[in-house]
Amino acid sequence: MKISIGNDHAGPEYKKAIVEMLQAKGFEVTNYGTDSAASVDYPDFGHPVATDVAEGKADFGIIICGSGNGIAMTANKHQKVRAALCWIKEIAALARQHNDANIISIPARYTSIAQAVEMVDTFLTTDFEGGRHQTRVDKISC
């Protein structure tokens, strides 16, 4: 499985832990994020992840910023992207089951690194349920 990941200055340590977990599971990871705590602009890292997912170059995306909101808003500007802001593993599971989310957005300032790793694992191992949810997902794109 191919995963693209991007983060701003709030997420280098989160990204590092997540990438280690993903690589240990044999996933191919493309890293667009910063490795520095120096202030940067989250769209510069969210757009490349969203582009990879929208163009099929990545199966899923992971984006990280302080609140998770700005980078999710950025990613959701792309057609074929459904980025979900998740703060606990149950929300990550529902984002996949009910919304067929293909990018998880993590709020680094409001979750622990351990929670983030657990959410990503849950997100990537949860299937979309389809059925009645497919009709709703089909209505998302403009």
Side-chain angles (χ1 to χ4, degrees), residues 71-85:
I71 204 163
M73 290 177 190
T74 298
N76 278 320
K77 297 297 181 190
H78 294 255
Q79 290 295 316
K80 301 182 183 178
V81 166
R82 289 172 306 283
L85 174 60

Side-chain angles (χ1 to χ4, degrees), residues 9-90:
H9 52 276
E13 295 304 314
Y14 287 72
K15 178 187 64 184
K16 181 181 176 188
I18 291 166
V19 168
E20 286 174 3
M21 180 270 291
L22 294 172
Q23 289 176 335
K25 292 180 178 255
F27 295 134
E28 180 181 327
V29 180
T30 302
N31 175 13
Y32 293 107
T34 183
D35 292 324
S36 170
S39 183
V40 294
D41 299 329
Y42 56 78
D44 296 338
F45 307 99
H47 281 304
V49 172
T51 297
D52 279 1
V53 171
E55 293 179 355
K57 295 176 184 172
D59 299 299
F60 291 101
I62 301 164
I63 50 179
I64 309 161
C65 76
S67 71
N69 280 310
I71 204 163
M73 290 177 190
T74 298
N76 278 320
K77 297 297 181 190
H78 294 255
Q79 290 295 316
K80 301 182 183 178
V81 166
R82 289 172 306 283
L85 174 60
C86 300
W87 55 94
I88 57 175
K89 69 178 183 176
E90 291 81 5

